[in-house]
Amino acid sequence: MFKKETIKAYNQEYGIADFIEFNEGAGGFTFVHIKNNHAEAQISLYGGQVTHYQPFGEEPVVWISPLAEFKYGKAIRGGIPICWPWFGPHLYDTKQPQHGVARVSNWSVVNTCILQDQQVKVVLRCDQDVIDQLTEWKGVTLELTIILGRALTLELCTYNHTSVKKSLGGALHSYLFVQDINQAILRGLKTTQYLDKLDNYTTKLQTDDVTLEKETDREYINTKADCFLWDKALNRHVKISKGGSGTTVVWNPWKTTSKQMTDFPDAGYLTMVCVEAAITAQDEYILLPNESHVLSQTISLI
Ligand code: TA6
């Protein structure tokens, strides 16, 4: 059973004055508040999920739903959900949660430290009891390293300590804030093929930069490209780069689907878009015995 540390114990062992502080937040969850001279961020230990990222003097870069439910068993809507060890529905077991178990599990703190240029580093580990209940994943460990510097970097590291190869999936399912979706352009995917989930996963070609004018749910394949979200209304660009992933998922639920989600405002689609570093079912990574894999994403204002 996951041992729930007290806030005081966490601050004594892993807190660092002026940079890292643990506190109790929504839903009674434990949050890590991190900051430096560049930005601040917040991470929920439930889900190992970044729920806030805001460079000083700027609007938030990461979007969180004002209707997000902070309840065990439910994924927090917004921020950067950790989808692991599969993306989307489980291949055959309908009882398993969409997007895997990591985002609905408790995470514990492994290490905290300050690097050069006031970079704040936090390392979390997913509850091994939960992972071990997945027959095919027993003995595999999962850690998340979060580094807050001039950018926000997440490194999701899967360690296969077993003697059996694993078919790994997942995503860093980043919800990005935009002032007005109608004035946003996502660059970096022009001439890239994508699977259109809303059209039976038909393969299509992205002939121009991506604009969002309707419900959009696309898996851009065979791409390691950096993406650039141009928020014209805020007159800023967000750079999203990634590692360990060949697929970039772009999602905006638009009007109808927004209304169908109880933890998502009806007009929420107007101020967010998901740009995800993903390993999807068609892009699975075969993790060999005693091998590790890092899925990473770096988000920054440029
Ligand atoms: O990443 C896109 C997607 O797979 C969409 O199809 C939609 O289901 C979205 O994830 C949100 O999923 P969730 O389980 O968090 O509601």
Side-chain angles (χ1 to χ4, degrees), residues 270-291:
L270 288 169
T271 57
M272 56 68 68
V273 61
C274 284
V275 181
E276 309 163 34
I279 308 169
T280 59
Q282 57 83 30
D283 177 33
E284 66 182 10
Y285 181 85
I286 302 302
L287 192 61
L288 298 175
N290 301 309
E291 185 190 10

Side-chain angles (χ1 to χ4, degrees), residues 139-214:
V140 174
T141 57
L142 183 67
E143 290 190 353
L144 176 66
T145 296
I146 297 144
I147 298 176
L148 177 70
R150 296 176 187 278
L152 176 70
T153 295
L154 277 70
E155 296 170 348
L156 184 69
C157 194
T158 303
Y159 297 79
N160 181 6
H161 301 282
T162 78
S163 58
V164 180
K165 67 182 179 180
K166 308 290 178 187
S167 170
L168 177 64
L172 297 173
H173 195 299
S174 303
Y175 287 72
L176 301 177
F177 170 78
V178 289
Q179 180 86 355
D180 176 1
I181 197 66
N182 297 299
Q183 299 182 61
I185 296 178
L186 183 65
R187 292 177 158 162
L189 297 168
K190 197 187 290 189
T191 73
T192 305
Q193 286 193 313
Y194 65 90
L195 309 180
D196 186 346
K197 183 176 176 182
L198 303 174
D199 185 10
N200 298 314
Y201 285 96
T202 305
T203 301
K204 299 177 179 175
L205 182 67
Q206 184 65 42
T207 54
D208 207 337
D209 290 328
V210 180
T211 52
L212 291 302
E213 293 113 3
K214 58 182 178 179

Side-chain angles (χ1 to χ4, degrees), residues 74-78 81 83 87-89 98-99 103 171 173 175 197-198 201 215-219 249-253 257 261 263 274 276:
K74 171 105 176 135
I76 299 169
R77 178 68 64 192
C83 302
F87 179 80
Q98 155 102 330
H99 287 330
R103 67 176 184 167
H173 195 299
Y175 287 72
K197 183 176 176 182
L198 303 174
Y201 285 96
E215 181 168 3
T216 304
D217 196 348
R218 301 173 183 173
E219 297 178 4
V249 174
V250 177
W251 178 60
N252 184 296
T257 302
M261 294 183 280
D263 58 355
C274 284
E276 309 163 34

Side-chain angles (χ1 to χ4, degrees), residues 118-133:
Q118 291 207 346
Q119 291 184 91
V120 182
K121 178 177 171 182
V122 176
V123 183
L124 306 178
R125 181 174 293 149
C126 187
D127 185 350
Q128 195 61 43
D129 291 347
V130 172
I131 297 173
D132 288 348
Q133 284 165 10

Side-chain angles (χ1 to χ4, degrees), residues 86 89-90 93-101 133-134:
W86 60 81
H90 188 277
D93 184 351
T94 54
K95 292 191 302 300
Q96 292 295 344
Q98 155 102 330
H99 287 330
V101 298
Q133 284 165 10
L134 299 171

Side-chain angles (χ1 to χ4, degrees), residues 39-94:
E40 64 178 358
Q42 190 158 286
I43 310 143
S44 165
L45 289 192
Y46 171 71
Q49 191 162 333
V50 170
T51 54
H52 178 70
Y53 167 49
Q54 185 169 12
F56 292 128
E58 295 286 346
E59 291 296 317
V61 174
V62 161
W63 180 89
I64 187 89
S65 170
L67 302 181
E69 295 170 40
F70 294 85
K71 281 193 302 195
Y72 287 103
K74 171 105 176 135
I76 299 169
R77 178 68 64 192
I80 306 177
I82 304 294
C83 302
W84 183 95
W86 60 81
F87 179 80
H90 188 277
L91 212 51
Y92 53 82
D93 184 351
T94 54

